[in-house]
Amino acid sequence: MSDTLLVRGARQLLTLHGPKEPRRGFALRELGIIPDGALLVRDGLIEEVGPTRRVENLALARGAREIDAAGKVVMPGFVDSHTHLAFGAPWLEDYEARIAGVNPLDAMSGWRAGAQALRTMSARRLEAHCRAALDAMARHGTTTVEVKSGLGCDPALDLKVLRVLARLDGAPLTVLRTCLAVSPLLASGHGRPAAPDADRFTLALAKAASRKLVQFADAYVDAGEQGAEPARRYLTAAARLGLHLKVHADQFARTHGAALAVAFGAASADHLVYTGAEEIAALARSNTIATLLPGSSFHLGCGPYAPARALVDAGAAVALASNFSPNTSPTCNMQTVLSLACSRMRLTPAEAISAATINGAHALRCAATCGSLEVGKFGDLIVLNVSDYREIPYWFGVNAVHMTLKRGKVIYREGRVGGTEAD
């Protein structure tokens, strides 16, 4: 017997209907809004989308479970395409050091403590830790997430983390896994672990790929050839394994990591804080998604934000992600990411929503199944306590999510506030 859900009466239904390709330029502002909109989800897949009066009168809607979205915005669930959620503990000493003025690259003592915590953590405890983070993401409207290994600068630890993450896929979020090779520069000196051997990471990557633990490989490119050459070897090996590629690029300096990502045909180049005009032009000519992480610039409290306006105006396909991590962006709230993208990087609210949904899905090579509310895609959606989509970034640091649905099933519902313990 099929399971059918009717979501009806949305003041604004943001379908993100549009071309199959990543959204660029003016297309980023096209949200496919249906006033008083509705959709039908059957057995996890979207069957119909349109005005409430039409959809609710379809034969398929008879007897369906109903969600009344009157006065609310309904939109695709967020696709958070860049996170590091598997970590041992907050990096509080590093946080205080940065507040005192220490350079972020010198305030990295948490690497060693975090790696040691993950090594000693049982698989069951690590799974509980990751599940709690995924639950928090669901409460804030994320339905698909990418998670990276690599925190410990240790290939064996990467495999441990990836095994746990594979068990969490679909419970309830879609969890796409990335094996991250940490750069020599980031991993060296200042009490951090010894510089990793790119070849050891390549061997671990091959094991992860053979066990179907991983879909992506990510290389962290630092200043100069010190980071670029190991990254080239790693990305070459990953491509031979049939994995999608990602590059941490130009986060703390202009390293031409974005150009490397384009040259390899990577799914995305991420961070791009110091990306220059040549790299922006190359991204605009490519299918590599420019994934921007404003939470990092905000939390580090120094340096600029990525040149989002220049990227969009040049024609690059831009995505937004949280970079949820213990050191540079300890937030899983994509609504806050949208606020920062609008107020600090001058994206419009519509551009930010497209970047956090359909283009995030393109950055994860899963836009055929999620990122927009279109017939045939998963019923991954959120119902928000706002009446206009522009309120999503307007209300800073709050959670406007009333309900999160994954494949037509409610995985989070807002609870009431008030009363006493006796109630």
Side-chain angles (χ1 to χ4, degrees):
M1 184 177 180
S2 66
D3 176 61
T4 305
L5 170 73
L6 171 64
V7 180
R8 58 182 302 280
R11 182 178 177 88
Q12 292 179 337
L13 175 63
L14 314 185
T15 67
L16 277 294
H17 175 77
K20 293 183 179 180
E21 297 77 23
R23 309 295 162 85
R24 304 170 187 268
F26 189 77
L28 269 174
R29 302 188 182 195
E30 295 293 320
L31 299 181
I33 300 175
I34 300 176
D36 189 13
L39 74 159
L40 276 169
V41 181
R42 181 168 65 174
D43 296 334
L45 300 179
I46 297 173
E47 286 277 346
E48 292 285 348
V49 181
T52 294
R53 180 172 294 182
R54 180 181 70 81
V55 174
E56 69 181 358
N57 286 318
L58 296 172
L60 185 61
R62 296 170 192 162
R65 293 180 292 119
E66 286 194 20
I67 292 175
D68 184 359
K72 301 182 187 299
V73 169
V74 175
M75 62 173 280
F78 293 116
V79 180
D80 193 348
S81 60
H82 183 128
T83 80
H84 306 257
L85 65 78
F87 57 86
W91 296 14
L92 301 180
E93 288 77 12
D94 296 344
Y95 177 56
E96 287 195 318
R98 289 198 301 271
I99 291 172
V102 176
N103 185 297
L105 281 176
D106 293 330
M108 288 282 185
S109 63
W111 278 106
R112 186 176 296 279
Q116 183 58 29
L118 287 177
R119 286 191 190 96
T120 58
M121 194 180 293
S122 68
R124 179 176 293 181
R125 186 178 167 203
L126 177 58
E127 183 173 338
H129 167 86
C130 293
R131 189 180 297 278
L134 293 171
D135 288 350
M137 290 179 168
R139 288 194 294 272
H140 289 86
T142 294
T143 51
T144 298
V145 62
E146 179 261 16
V147 185
K148 303 179 192 295
S149 64
L151 174 65
C153 308
D154 180 347
L157 189 53
D158 279 7
L159 289 172
K160 175 182 178 179
V161 171
L162 291 169
R163 282 193 295 269
V164 167
L165 294 174
R167 292 199 294 270
L168 289 171
D169 182 25
L173 305 189
T174 298
V175 179
L176 298 168
R177 286 90 61 196
T178 297
C179 192
L180 170 65
V182 179
S183 73
L185 181 63
L186 190 61
S188 62
H190 301 287
R192 284 165 263 162
D197 182 340
D199 295 328
R200 287 181 61 220
F201 274 99
T202 299
L203 289 173
L205 181 65
K207 290 181 180 178
S210 68
R211 298 169 188 174
K212 302 188 184 304
L213 299 177
V214 63
Q215 292 91 14
F216 292 86
D218 191 343
Y220 201 125
V221 181
D222 283 316
E225 289 300 303
Q226 184 183 31
E229 185 50 41
R232 289 191 186 98
R233 296 203 309 271
Y234 183 72
L235 293 170
T236 298
R240 288 173 180 163
L241 291 168
L243 298 174
H244 301 298
L245 308 180
K246 289 180 170 287
V247 177
H248 273 64
D250 306 332
Q251 181 180 6
F252 295 108
R254 187 180 179 187
T255 63
H256 305 288
L260 183 67
V262 171
F264 272 88
S268 69
D270 300 25
H271 283 291
L272 307 180
V273 174
Y274 290 95
T275 294
E278 292 179 10
E279 291 82 16
I280 290 173
L283 285 163
R285 295 190 300 268
S286 76
N287 290 321
T288 297
I289 308 296
T291 299
L292 311 182
L293 312 168
S296 294
S297 295
F298 174 80
H299 186 69
L300 291 174
C302 64
Y305 285 76
R309 194 71 262 155
L311 284 159
V312 171
D313 292 345
V318 170
L320 290 170
S322 70
N323 193 29
F324 181 46
S325 59
N327 55 331
T328 65
S329 187
T331 182
C332 62
N333 187 349
M334 287 291 286
Q335 299 157 78
T336 297
V337 172
L338 265 62
S339 295
L340 294 172
C342 294
S343 64
R344 294 293 180 261
M345 300 197 302
R346 302 304 174 191
L347 293 184
T348 70
E351 288 171 335
I353 288 171
S354 293
T357 54
I358 188 63
N359 274 8
H362 280 290
L364 295 181
R365 296 293 194 254
C366 62
T369 59
C370 67
S372 62
L373 301 179
E374 299 181 85
V375 172
K377 291 194 175 186
F378 294 143
D380 294 356
L381 58 114
I382 52 178
V383 182
L384 296 143
N385 290 317
V386 297
S387 59
D388 187 299
Y389 73 86
R390 292 170 294 183
E391 291 185 67
I392 302 170
Y394 173 84
W395 298 109
F396 177 74
V398 302
N399 185 15
V401 173
H402 172 64
M403 193 179 294
T404 304
L405 294 93
K406 180 69 178 175
R407 301 196 188 187
K409 302 289 187 183
V410 177
I411 60 173
Y412 166 72
R413 189 189 304 268
E414 179 185 27
R416 74 183 183 93
V417 176
T420 64
E421 290 185 10
D423 292 340

